[in-house]
Amino acid sequence: MTELTITRTLAAPPERVWRAWTTPEEYAAWIWPETWGTTCEIDLRIGGRFRFASTVRELAVSGEYVAVEAPHRLVQTWKWDGDDEETLVTVTFAPLPEGGTELTVLHERFATQEECDQHLQGWNDCLDRLP
């Protein structure tokens, strides 16, 4: 199996970064470009589901929360509409001594290196909008 790991340092505390990942309005504001008309639904609990969609691009991702450990760790399945394949995303929010957050995204279970590379580019684009 193929996986990717991205680590970013953010100036905000873990609680603030956690909210950006777990509040529908905040997640929709950064996950995709504003022009994509992103909508988001989040049921933040183990077994709860999430879905975000672009009304402009006709794309959507959904999944189920496997672990919810506020504000430190979030694990969720990840499946694009129309795909059979489901991957797994683990996000950790580690506090830094200076008050920021070390954010790590581990996305695993890709069937091919090409899919992994496409998601690496996508995650980097998304995370560039997060701060």
Side-chain angles (χ1 to χ4, degrees), residues 92-115:
T92 56
F93 309 80
L96 295 172
E98 62 274 12
T101 301
E102 182 178 81
L103 175 77
T104 302
V105 176
L106 168 63
H107 196 156
E108 54 192 326
R109 300 184 185 167
F110 291 108
T112 68
Q113 185 63 48
E114 180 183 5
E115 290 173 12

Side-chain angles (χ1 to χ4, degrees), residues 13-23 44 67-74 91 93:
E15 295 79 11
R16 177 70 189 99
V17 182
W18 174 267
R19 283 195 309 275
W21 278 83
T22 60
T23 305
L44 189 63
V68 178
E69 302 164 13
H72 307 290
R73 185 170 166 264
L74 188 65
V91 186
F93 309 80

